[in-house]
Each structure stands twice: as structure tokens, then as C-alpha cells.
Amino acid sequence: MANLVKKEEFLPAQKQILLADELAFTLGAIIKNTGVEANAQGKKIVKAGTPVTGNILKRQAGFEKGTAENATAVLLHDVDVTAGNENGTIVIFGFIDLDKLDADVQEMYDATMVSKLNKITVVRGNDQINE
């Protein structure tokens, strides 16, 4: 009897942006696709670490991609919003490792945004960014 080879495809591992999982508080939320540009493959991806804005008490109403001025939380994992609004996880308290973010997301982390995220400590390796 011949051996059969079965090919399976798995989803890629989710990016880990937290310094310590056990020291974070996260919530499920709807992530809106407004203001998200499509990439070269035509996908609208909101990347892990992206600042988001919305009402934490009404998170099912949706969070949008935020800016330094209006950030209220940080997206924990990449969310594909190509087909419309999707479920995601937001970090409202914890320690984000800047070195684990994609370069284009790292650029969003200026002094204004870091100060807006008053319950999130941003670190680079072993160096604390918040002051």
C-alpha cells in the first residue's frame, strides 16, 4: 500500500507585541475598515501595535485606526478588514515592545502618542520610552 502525503496549510503565527502577556489587560472589540489603505495584494490590514481610537465602554460600536492625538488603545494582533469590520483585540493596559512592531507602525510612536497611552508603557528592548 502506498503512503499518502497530505498537504495542509496553517495560518501564520500571530505577532507578539507584548513584553509580558501576564501583565496586560486586553478586550475584544470591533475594528473598523475606515481609513485603512489596501496593500500591494489588495488586502486591508490593520497591523499589530497600531493605535486605535474608540469608546472602550462601547467597543462593539467599533474602533478606528487612530493617530497620536486620539489614541485610546493599541491593536494586539493584525486584523484583516478587507471584507469590512472585523473582530480584534485591543490592549488598554500593558507593556508594548516597540522592537516587535513593523517599522511603519513604529514610526507612529512619537512623544505625543506615548503620552496619550497613559496606561500602556512603551519599551524598546530593556529601555522604557514613557517618561
Side-chain angles (χ1 to χ4, degrees), residues 17-129:
I17 65 167
L18 296 173
L19 190 63
D21 292 354
E22 65 277 6
L23 300 177
F25 187 77
T26 62
L27 294 169
I30 299 296
I31 307 303
K32 294 182 178 182
N33 68 350
T34 53
V36 180
E37 301 285 329
N39 63 16
Q41 294 78 31
K43 298 269 188 188
K44 290 183 173 185
I45 307 291
V46 184
K47 294 182 181 180
T50 299
V52 292
T53 184
N55 186 334
I56 292 172
L57 298 176
K58 298 179 182 178
R59 59 190 187 280
Q60 296 310 313
F63 277 73
E64 295 179 348
K65 187 175 175 181
T67 65
E69 291 77 28
N70 66 7
T72 54
V74 172
L75 195 59
L76 181 60
H77 299 292
D78 292 352
V79 177
D80 184 347
V81 293
T82 306
N85 299 344
E86 283 294 333
N87 292 319
T89 305
I90 57 171
V91 178
I92 61 171
F93 177 85
F95 299 86
I96 304 294
D97 188 346
L98 202 59
D99 290 337
K100 294 181 180 180
L101 305 180
D102 289 347
D104 56 333
V105 177
Q106 283 184 20
E107 293 172 2
M108 297 179 194
Y109 282 77
D110 60 8
T112 302
M113 193 176 93
V114 170
S115 68
K116 285 286 189 182
L117 298 170
N118 58 2
K119 302 254 190 280
I120 296 175
T121 301
V122 180
V123 297
R124 171 166 267 142
N126 293 326
D127 299 328
Q128 182 173 330
I129 307 296

